[in-house]
Amino acid sequence: MTSIKIPPDHPRAKSLTIREKLIEHYLEGIVAASGLIAHGRGEAFDYLLSEKTSRPALEGIQAAAATLLTAENPVISVNGNTAALVAEEIVKLANITEAKIEVNLFYRSLGRELAIKKLLEKAGAREVLGVGRKASARILELSSERRRVDPRGIMAADAVLVPLEDGDRTEALVRMGKKVIAIDLNPLSRTAQKATITIVDNIVRAAPSLVQAAERLKKRGIGKCREILLNFDNKKNLAGSIILMNENLTNFAEKTVRITNKGE
Ligand code: PTJ
């Protein structure tokens, strides 16, 4: 545990609490050191979204829920940051969509795999794939440790949710004919651009929304899921997020000019 207690009235309390959570999980061997840096990059993009779930993100969430619910063999891939921030939501989503949960790490070590598995089990996961010798299959086009996958999980999946990904694997999975759902605050990243469905949102907001969307859509049935997917265009949706960031920047700039002029 870190010794810092975030004052609840601090204007950035929410964001600072998330940072503390990641640091704690880093110290427990769950989050990779690079995971802290990756989060910082995500935070910068979140500023440009005014730290809110946007309309394009909500549409991406609907399409993601529909994809998981209509897949034959959906798998949720979990890395260090995802486990640290939204383990409970991942387990709920897996239960609703009957998806398998697989640990897949860029900075793979048996210690981290086991720590993440334990955390997911504590959150209620009945089975966690991809740990130790279970990750016996290989994605041949990849040279990183992400190539090691579970033959019962990612290898056999027709749809894979990959939160906070690094581009290579997304491209490889898409080439293998799988539907790839990315959650990535950076709409310009290779992952965001190459995924079948991209949710440009913070995982701490997107994961609970995805659980809710899956719950609701499951009740509405497969026909509704298909309708959502027919009307979803990932490139247009991504463009929507980029345009929104651009508009927010313009608004910030105009506000800054107004404040500067008042001060003159
Ligand atoms: O746990 P491991 O070993 O698998 O490593 C995980 C990290 C995240 C370190 C690894 O996958 C990595 O290096 O990823 P990248 O290439 O830094 O990409 C991470 C992407 O996630 C970036 O585009 C960030 O903008 C984005 N991101 C960071 N934090 C969040 C986020 N997206 C959504 N929600 C966040 N909280």
Side-chain angles (χ1 to χ4, degrees), residues 32 34-35 38-39 41-42 45 79-81 85 104-107 112 146 164-166 183-186 189 201-203:
S34 269
H39 183 75
R41 176 157 57 181
F45 282 99
N79 64 10
N81 291 45
L85 294 177
N104 183 276
L105 305 177
F106 187 79
Y107 300 97
R112 286 190 66 219
R146 283 216 191 274
L164 276 78
E165 179 70 357
D166 52 292
I183 302 177
D184 191 335
L185 276 161
N186 177 4
S189 78
D201 197 13
N202 196 320
I203 195 168

Short mmCIF file of all heavy atoms in Angstrom, two decimals, residues 32 34-35 38-39 41-42 45 79-81 85 104-107 112 146 164-166 183-186 189 201-203, ligand 1:
data_model
loop_
_atom_site.label_atom_id
_atom_site.label_comp_id
_atom_site.label_asym_id
_atom_site.label_seq_id
_atom_site.Cartn_x
_atom_site.Cartn_y
_atom_site.Cartn_z
N ALA A 32 2.55 -3.70 -14.89
CA ALA A 32 3.94 -3.56 -15.35
C ALA A 32 4.39 -2.11 -15.13
O ALA A 32 3.54 -1.21 -15.14
CB ALA A 32 4.02 -3.90 -16.83
N SER A 34 5.75 -0.24 -17.16
CA SER A 34 5.29 0.49 -18.35
C SER A 34 3.80 0.78 -18.31
O SER A 34 3.33 1.70 -19.00
CB SER A 34 5.54 -0.35 -19.60
OG SER A 34 6.77 -0.06 -20.12
N GLY A 35 3.08 0.01 -17.54
CA GLY A 35 1.63 0.22 -17.41
C GLY A 35 1.35 1.59 -16.81
O GLY A 35 0.34 2.22 -17.14
N ALA A 38 1.86 3.99 -19.64
CA ALA A 38 0.73 3.86 -20.59
C ALA A 38 -0.49 4.60 -20.06
O ALA A 38 -1.22 5.26 -20.81
CB ALA A 38 0.41 2.38 -20.82
N HIS A 39 -0.71 4.51 -18.74
CA HIS A 39 -1.87 5.18 -18.16
C HIS A 39 -1.75 6.70 -18.33
O HIS A 39 -2.74 7.39 -18.61
CB HIS A 39 -2.01 4.80 -16.68
CG HIS A 39 -3.23 5.41 -16.05
ND1 HIS A 39 -4.49 4.92 -16.30
CD2 HIS A 39 -3.38 6.49 -15.25
CE1 HIS A 39 -5.37 5.66 -15.65
NE2 HIS A 39 -4.73 6.62 -15.01
N ARG A 41 -0.29 8.28 -20.70
CA ARG A 41 -0.66 8.63 -22.09
C ARG A 41 -2.19 8.64 -22.23
O ARG A 41 -2.76 9.55 -22.83
CB ARG A 41 -0.04 7.64 -23.06
CG ARG A 41 -0.49 7.91 -24.48
CD ARG A 41 0.44 7.38 -25.52
NE ARG A 41 0.66 5.95 -25.38
CZ ARG A 41 1.45 5.25 -26.17
NH1 ARG A 41 2.14 5.85 -27.09
NH2 ARG A 41 1.59 3.96 -26.00
N GLY A 42 -2.82 7.63 -21.64
CA GLY A 42 -4.28 7.58 -21.70
C GLY A 42 -4.89 8.82 -21.07
O GLY A 42 -5.81 9.42 -21.63
N PHE A 45 -5.10 11.84 -23.34
CA PHE A 45 -6.20 11.79 -24.31
C PHE A 45 -7.55 11.97 -23.62
O PHE A 45 -8.47 12.54 -24.21
CB PHE A 45 -6.16 10.47 -25.10
CG PHE A 45 -5.11 10.49 -26.18
CD1 PHE A 45 -3.88 9.90 -25.98
CD2 PHE A 45 -5.36 11.13 -27.38
CE1 PHE A 45 -2.91 9.94 -26.96
CE2 PHE A 45 -4.39 11.18 -28.37
CZ PHE A 45 -3.16 10.58 -28.16
N ASN A 79 -4.87 -7.70 -19.24
CA ASN A 79 -3.47 -7.37 -18.92
C ASN A 79 -3.42 -6.74 -17.52
O ASN A 79 -4.44 -6.71 -16.81
CB ASN A 79 -2.86 -6.47 -20.00
CG ASN A 79 -3.55 -5.12 -20.08
OD1 ASN A 79 -4.37 -4.75 -19.23
ND2 ASN A 79 -3.23 -4.37 -21.11
N GLY A 80 -2.25 -6.24 -17.15
CA GLY A 80 -2.06 -5.74 -15.80
C GLY A 80 -2.96 -4.56 -15.45
O GLY A 80 -3.65 -4.56 -14.42
N ASN A 81 -2.99 -3.55 -16.35
CA ASN A 81 -3.80 -2.35 -16.05
C ASN A 81 -5.28 -2.69 -15.95
O ASN A 81 -5.99 -2.19 -15.08
CB ASN A 81 -3.60 -1.30 -17.16
CG ASN A 81 -2.22 -0.70 -17.15
OD1 ASN A 81 -1.23 -1.42 -17.03
ND2 ASN A 81 -2.13 0.60 -17.26
N LEU A 85 -7.66 -2.14 -12.62
CA LEU A 85 -8.70 -1.09 -12.62
C LEU A 85 -10.12 -1.65 -12.65
O LEU A 85 -11.02 -1.07 -12.06
CB LEU A 85 -8.50 -0.13 -13.80
CG LEU A 85 -7.23 0.72 -13.75
CD1 LEU A 85 -7.10 1.58 -15.00
CD2 LEU A 85 -7.19 1.61 -12.50
N ASN A 104 -3.25 -12.20 -20.85
CA ASN A 104 -2.30 -12.10 -21.95
C ASN A 104 -1.48 -10.84 -21.72
O ASN A 104 -2.02 -9.74 -21.67
CB ASN A 104 -3.04 -12.04 -23.30
CG ASN A 104 -2.05 -12.00 -24.45
OD1 ASN A 104 -1.55 -10.95 -24.82
ND2 ASN A 104 -1.77 -13.15 -25.02
N LEU A 105 -0.18 -11.02 -21.54
CA LEU A 105 0.66 -9.91 -21.12
C LEU A 105 1.75 -9.59 -22.13
O LEU A 105 2.32 -10.51 -22.73
CB LEU A 105 1.32 -10.23 -19.77
CG LEU A 105 0.37 -10.62 -18.64
CD1 LEU A 105 1.17 -10.97 -17.39
CD2 LEU A 105 -0.61 -9.49 -18.36
N PHE A 106 2.02 -8.31 -22.27
CA PHE A 106 3.17 -7.89 -23.09
C PHE A 106 4.45 -8.16 -22.31
O PHE A 106 5.39 -8.73 -22.83
CB PHE A 106 3.03 -6.41 -23.44
CG PHE A 106 4.05 -5.94 -24.41
CD1 PHE A 106 3.90 -6.20 -25.76
CD2 PHE A 106 5.18 -5.24 -23.99
CE1 PHE A 106 4.86 -5.78 -26.68
CE2 PHE A 106 6.13 -4.82 -24.90
CZ PHE A 106 5.98 -5.08 -26.25
N TYR A 107 4.44 -7.75 -21.04
CA TYR A 107 5.61 -8.00 -20.16
C TYR A 107 5.31 -9.26 -19.35
O TYR A 107 4.97 -9.19 -18.17
CB TYR A 107 5.85 -6.79 -19.26
CG TYR A 107 6.10 -5.52 -20.04
CD1 TYR A 107 5.08 -4.61 -20.30
CD2 TYR A 107 7.36 -5.24 -20.56
CE1 TYR A 107 5.29 -3.47 -21.06
CE2 TYR A 107 7.58 -4.10 -21.32
CZ TYR A 107 6.55 -3.22 -21.55
OH TYR A 107 6.78 -2.08 -22.31
N ARG A 112 3.56 -12.45 -12.56
CA ARG A 112 2.47 -11.52 -12.89
C ARG A 112 1.22 -12.28 -13.33
O ARG A 112 0.11 -11.93 -12.95
CB ARG A 112 2.89 -10.53 -13.99
CG ARG A 112 3.85 -9.46 -13.52
CD ARG A 112 4.04 -8.40 -14.58
NE ARG A 112 2.82 -7.64 -14.84
CZ ARG A 112 2.44 -7.25 -16.05
NH1 ARG A 112 3.17 -7.51 -17.10
NH2 ARG A 112 1.32 -6.56 -16.19
N ARG A 146 3.19 -11.53 -26.24
CA ARG A 146 1.74 -11.61 -26.48
C ARG A 146 1.38 -12.75 -27.42
O ARG A 146 0.23 -13.11 -27.57
CB ARG A 146 1.24 -10.30 -27.08
CG ARG A 146 1.10 -9.17 -26.08
CD ARG A 146 -0.12 -8.34 -26.45
NE ARG A 146 -0.21 -7.10 -25.72
CZ ARG A 146 -0.78 -6.99 -24.53
NH1 ARG A 146 -1.26 -8.05 -23.93
NH2 ARG A 146 -0.84 -5.82 -23.95
N LEU A 164 -6.63 -1.77 -23.61
CA LEU A 164 -5.28 -1.22 -23.48
C LEU A 164 -4.23 -2.09 -24.15
O LEU A 164 -3.35 -2.67 -23.53
CB LEU A 164 -4.89 -1.09 -21.99
CG LEU A 164 -5.35 0.14 -21.27
CD1 LEU A 164 -6.81 0.04 -20.90
CD2 LEU A 164 -4.54 0.31 -20.01
N GLU A 165 -4.32 -2.12 -25.44
CA GLU A 165 -3.50 -3.04 -26.23
C GLU A 165 -2.32 -2.31 -26.84
O GLU A 165 -2.29 -1.11 -26.92
CB GLU A 165 -4.43 -3.57 -27.34
CG GLU A 165 -3.82 -4.52 -28.30
CD GLU A 165 -3.53 -5.87 -27.67
OE1 GLU A 165 -3.74 -6.05 -26.46
OE2 GLU A 165 -3.06 -6.74 -28.39
N ASP A 166 -1.32 -3.08 -27.29
CA ASP A 166 -0.27 -2.50 -28.12
C ASP A 166 -0.43 -3.11 -29.51
O ASP A 166 -0.48 -4.32 -29.65
CB ASP A 166 1.10 -2.79 -27.54
CG ASP A 166 1.28 -4.24 -27.26
OD1 ASP A 166 0.58 -4.72 -26.34
OD2 ASP A 166 2.03 -4.91 -27.97
N ILE A 183 -10.41 -1.20 -26.36
CA ILE A 183 -10.76 -0.04 -25.53
C ILE A 183 -9.47 0.77 -25.43
O ILE A 183 -8.48 0.29 -24.87
CB ILE A 183 -11.25 -0.45 -24.12
CG1 ILE A 183 -12.46 -1.38 -24.22
CG2 ILE A 183 -11.58 0.80 -23.29
CD1 ILE A 183 -12.97 -1.91 -22.88
N ASP A 184 -9.47 1.94 -26.03
CA ASP A 184 -8.22 2.72 -26.10
C ASP A 184 -8.56 4.20 -26.17
O ASP A 184 -9.30 4.63 -27.07
CB ASP A 184 -7.44 2.28 -27.35
CG ASP A 184 -6.02 2.82 -27.36
OD1 ASP A 184 -5.75 3.85 -26.73
OD2 ASP A 184 -5.17 2.21 -28.03
N LEU A 185 -8.02 4.96 -25.23
CA LEU A 185 -8.30 6.40 -25.20
C LEU A 185 -7.66 7.14 -26.38
O LEU A 185 -8.04 8.27 -26.67
CB LEU A 185 -7.80 6.99 -23.88
CG LEU A 185 -8.78 6.86 -22.71
CD1 LEU A 185 -8.06 7.03 -21.38
CD2 LEU A 185 -9.92 7.86 -22.84
N ASN A 186 -6.68 6.51 -27.00
CA ASN A 186 -6.01 7.16 -28.12
C ASN A 186 -6.60 6.69 -29.45
O ASN A 186 -6.30 5.59 -29.90
CB ASN A 186 -4.51 6.83 -28.05
CG ASN A 186 -3.74 7.41 -29.22
OD1 ASN A 186 -4.31 8.13 -30.05
ND2 ASN A 186 -2.46 7.10 -29.30
N SER A 189 -4.07 5.49 -32.21
CA SER A 189 -3.15 4.36 -32.04
C SER A 189 -3.42 3.29 -33.09
O SER A 189 -4.51 3.22 -33.67
CB SER A 189 -3.30 3.75 -30.65
OG SER A 189 -4.46 2.94 -30.59
N ASP A 201 -12.53 5.42 -24.94
CA ASP A 201 -13.01 5.84 -23.62
C ASP A 201 -12.06 5.29 -22.57
O ASP A 201 -11.31 4.34 -22.82
CB ASP A 201 -14.43 5.27 -23.39
CG ASP A 201 -15.17 5.97 -22.26
OD1 ASP A 201 -14.71 7.05 -21.80
OD2 ASP A 201 -16.21 5.45 -21.81
N ASN A 202 -12.14 5.86 -21.38
CA ASN A 202 -11.33 5.35 -20.27
C ASN A 202 -11.92 4.02 -19.81
O ASN A 202 -13.15 3.92 -19.62
CB ASN A 202 -11.34 6.36 -19.12
CG ASN A 202 -10.23 6.08 -18.13
OD1 ASN A 202 -9.94 4.93 -17.80
ND2 ASN A 202 -9.60 7.14 -17.66
N ILE A 203 -11.09 3.05 -19.60
CA ILE A 203 -11.59 1.73 -19.23
C ILE A 203 -12.39 1.78 -17.92
O ILE A 203 -13.32 0.99 -17.73
CB ILE A 203 -10.45 0.69 -19.16
CG1 ILE A 203 -11.05 -0.71 -19.13
CG2 ILE A 203 -9.52 0.94 -17.98
CD1 ILE A 203 -10.09 -1.81 -19.33
O1 PTJ B 1 0.23 -5.76 -18.53
P1 PTJ B 1 1.04 -5.87 -19.79
O2 PTJ B 1 2.39 -6.52 -19.56
O3 PTJ B 1 0.31 -6.59 -20.90
O4 PTJ B 1 1.35 -4.39 -20.34
C1 PTJ B 1 0.27 -3.53 -20.55
C2 PTJ B 1 0.69 -2.20 -21.25
C3 PTJ B 1 -0.48 -1.23 -21.17
C4 PTJ B 1 1.91 -1.63 -20.54
C5 PTJ B 1 1.05 -2.52 -22.71
O5 PTJ B 1 -0.05 -3.11 -23.33
C6 PTJ B 1 1.48 -1.28 -23.46
O6 PTJ B 1 2.65 -0.93 -23.50
O7 PTJ B 1 0.50 -0.61 -24.07
P2 PTJ B 1 0.72 0.75 -24.90
O8 PTJ B 1 1.39 0.43 -26.21
O9 PTJ B 1 1.32 1.79 -24.05
O10 PTJ B 1 -0.77 1.12 -25.23
C7 PTJ B 1 -1.70 1.37 -24.23
C8 PTJ B 1 -2.83 2.21 -24.82
O11 PTJ B 1 -3.85 2.25 -23.84
C9 PTJ B 1 -2.45 3.65 -25.14
O12 PTJ B 1 -2.95 4.00 -26.43
C10 PTJ B 1 -3.14 4.50 -24.04
O13 PTJ B 1 -3.60 5.73 -24.54
C11 PTJ B 1 -4.31 3.60 -23.69
N1 PTJ B 1 -4.75 3.74 -22.29
C12 PTJ B 1 -3.99 3.94 -21.19
N2 PTJ B 1 -4.75 3.99 -20.08
C13 PTJ B 1 -6.02 3.79 -20.49
C14 PTJ B 1 -6.03 3.63 -21.91
N3 PTJ B 1 -7.15 3.41 -22.60
C15 PTJ B 1 -8.31 3.34 -21.89
N4 PTJ B 1 -8.38 3.48 -20.55
C16 PTJ B 1 -7.27 3.72 -19.81
N5 PTJ B 1 -7.35 3.87 -18.49
#
